[in-house]
Amino acid sequence: MAKDAVGYALTALNRLASSEVLDKIGMRKTVERLAYTLTKSGFQVLTTTARTFKSSNPGNKPERLNAPGHTRDLFDLSITDEQQMIRDSVQSFARDVLRDKAEEADATQKTSDEVIAQALELGLNYFAVPESLGGAATERSTVTSMLVAEDLAHGDMGQAVAILAPMGVANALTQWGTAQQQDKYLSSFAEESPPKATIAVCEPYPLFDPMALKTTARKDGNSYVLNGEKSLVPLAAEAEIFLVAAQADDGPAVFIVEGGSEGLVAGDDPSMGVRASGQRPLKLDNVRVPVENRLGNGDFDYRAFVDLGTLAWCALAIGTCQSVLDYVVPYCNERTAFGEPISYRQAVAFMIADIAIELDSMRMLTYRAASRAEQGKSFQREAHLARTLVKDKAMKIGTDGVQLLGGHGFTHEYPVERWYRDLRAIGVAFGGLHL
């Protein structure tokens, strides 16, 4: 309904602006200025919720998933047969569906309902919900989630974010949600039509630090009142559930906010890359949430919450960088100049070799951090090292991909320009995802 109202308002303004009556009453400049302002900045779209979340019969204890039985103390890059089966399905979906729809999704700034429906057929949402709540998860596997993120991004990063954002919310509720929160919200992710959901951490400030939030949460009786602004929030105008990071009296915290809450507004400011995820700013103006919607019950680890999201972005970057490598190798072998393939030129060959070397380094650090997280060990240092390397080398790989294609790399006809824009997000992205 909000989008229809916007359309009607703009139509009315346009008709009014073309009317001669404005000249007679001296209001033309005022109306034209209003129309220009609204067109330039975009109407803010109230978030909407498509369902009512209710807690029917919450248990006394929340459901928690244990680490996989195959986890060992040694760092092991081998994957299980089950993980390989999941990867085969996801890779096929990414290759046949996401890559084919990537350019369209980027142009429309939205992942189509058709793609979301096909993604749901993979059943990935069920692996984020414990069996007792209607899902299929019997163990917690950060590594599996990381592999899925990497493989989806190999098809298209923007659509991968749109698919993974709801799973990130489900993972966080599984890991830290109270019994009431799980019964009210988490069980809905195991339904045939799970809710769209997302995580809002990033804020529009220079040198943003997720540990120093400007969004505030003030306790007022049996509620928290949230005020602030978030940026680069995937599915911001579509999500039915938000996990919003805010500064409470006792430190950073995360709150469950339902779409359509009074004072919760999604702006219209599309990002340079990852456009298919529908990233928008999110404004919170005295948004009131119940005390019981604060995530966790004394066991919540905000630092780990942020680091797991960081590893998800690292995995997405790895998948996209692999796409760049897979594309430039045959291109440079087939593209001829001065009577020979350009890959025969040492400068070109060395640039491609550097992409492969840095990609393996990124993968190693990210896998190590995810492996430690899965084992329940401290992984803050490893996550920081992974992000430090990935945000630098991923952007360089995106730049080199464009450079290797020369003038072709600067056109929409070839996908490297989109990969370049997507990889730029790694340096600033926080939130939206959670392994």
Side-chain angles (χ1 to χ4, degrees), residues 302-413:
Y302 179 74
R303 178 76 258 182
F305 174 83
V306 171
D307 288 340
L308 286 168
T310 295
L311 292 180
W313 281 106
C314 289
L316 291 170
I318 291 169
T320 305
C321 288
Q322 186 67 57
S323 295
V324 174
L325 180 61
D326 293 346
Y327 195 89
V328 299
V329 169
Y331 178 89
C332 292
N333 284 333
E334 295 168 7
R335 177 75 170 174
T336 59
F338 305 104
E340 63 182 8
I342 61 174
S343 58
Y344 286 14
R345 304 284 172 168
Q346 199 173 61
V348 172
F350 282 1
M351 188 179 291
I352 294 174
D354 284 343
I355 292 176
I357 292 169
E358 300 300 351
L359 179 56
D360 275 353
S361 300
M362 291 159 52
R363 186 174 276 120
M364 182 70 72
L365 279 179
T366 303
Y367 281 24
R368 177 173 173 79
S371 177
R372 289 183 63 87
E374 184 171 283
Q375 296 174 34
K377 296 180 179 180
S378 171
F379 66 100
Q380 179 181 340
R381 172 181 176 273
E382 287 73 18
H384 175 74
L385 290 175
R387 184 175 190 272
T388 300
L389 179 70
V390 170
K391 72 177 183 178
D392 179 30
K393 300 305 180 183
M395 288 191 289
K396 185 178 185 303
I397 289 173
T399 302
D400 289 347
V402 172
Q403 189 70 26
L404 286 166
L405 266 69
H408 288 162
F410 207 62
T411 66
H412 278 297
E413 185 179 353

Side-chain angles (χ1 to χ4, degrees), residues 67 71-76 140 370-377:
T71 296
R72 295 178 292 184
D73 290 336
L74 297 177
F75 176 44
D76 185 3
R140 184 186 75 250
S371 177
R372 289 183 63 87
E374 184 171 283
Q375 296 174 34
K377 296 180 179 180

Side-chain angles (χ1 to χ4, degrees), residues 233-250:
V233 181
L235 305 176
E238 308 170 60
E240 301 168 72
I241 302 174
F242 296 85
L243 294 187
V244 179
Q247 186 72 28
D249 292 338
D250 54 350

